[in-house]
Every structure is written in C-alpha cells, then in structure tokens.
Amino acid sequence: LPISRREATAGTIVPLEVPVRCTCTRCGGRGESWAESCVRCDGRGTELLRHLLQVTVPAGVADGDCFSFTVTPRHSPSTRIEVFVALTD
C-alpha cells in the first residue's frame, strides 16, 4: 500500500481494489450450463471479482508495517487480506 511520508504521519484513507474469489455469477457455482462447461468460470464454479475497499491507515505507521483483515462478500467464502505499507517520497 504505497503512501507518502506525510500520509503516514497524519493518517489517511486509501482506496484499495482486491480480487476476491466468489461463486460464479453466470452458472451459480455449478460449473456448467446445461451439458457444457461454463464459459465464465471455465467449469470451476468460482470466479475472481474485484472488490473495492477503503483502508484506514492510522497516524504513525512505518514503512513495512502490516495490516490484515477479512473480506466476506455476499454468498462467498471469507478472504484474508494482508496489506504492507510502503512509504514513498
């Protein structure tokens, strides 16, 4: 998560887009459409969807600090997210 030194000192909110594995929206997780494999998920029954988050970075973080949290999209398993802070000039 790249942030400036000023943002690290004061704290900030950063938009972050993460891929989250979800049930395929086309086949409903069956992996097929009638007798053929689902084109969208290639027969797996799941697909990666982009999930937009707003990460609150507290004041006083340092380069290399790590945050972890769990994202639970509707009708999908939880996904653990780890974010590492990278200070930029």
Side-chain angles (χ1 to χ4, degrees):
L1 188 64
I3 61 172
S4 69
R5 292 188 187 283
R6 190 183 86 220
E7 290 171 324
T9 301
T12 188
I13 297 174
V14 180
L16 179 66
E17 191 174 281
V18 294
V20 177
R21 187 156 301 281
C22 298
T23 301
C24 179
T25 55
R26 180 173 219 146
C27 69
R30 292 184 314 277
E32 62 184 18
S33 179
W34 298 99
E36 297 181 17
S37 287
C38 177
V39 175
R40 176 171 278 161
C41 69
D42 199 28
R44 289 184 299 273
T46 60
E47 61 182 323
L48 286 178
L49 295 178
R50 295 177 294 164
H51 194 75
L52 183 61
L53 306 170
Q54 298 292 323
V55 178
T56 301
V57 180
V61 297
D63 190 51
D65 282 355
C66 178
F67 299 93
S68 63
F69 49 90
T70 302
V71 176
T72 308
R74 217 172 82 187
H75 306 297
S76 300
S78 296
T79 301
R80 186 168 187 259
I81 307 293
E82 286 188 354
V83 177
F84 291 89
V85 174
L87 298 184
T88 61
D89 290 326

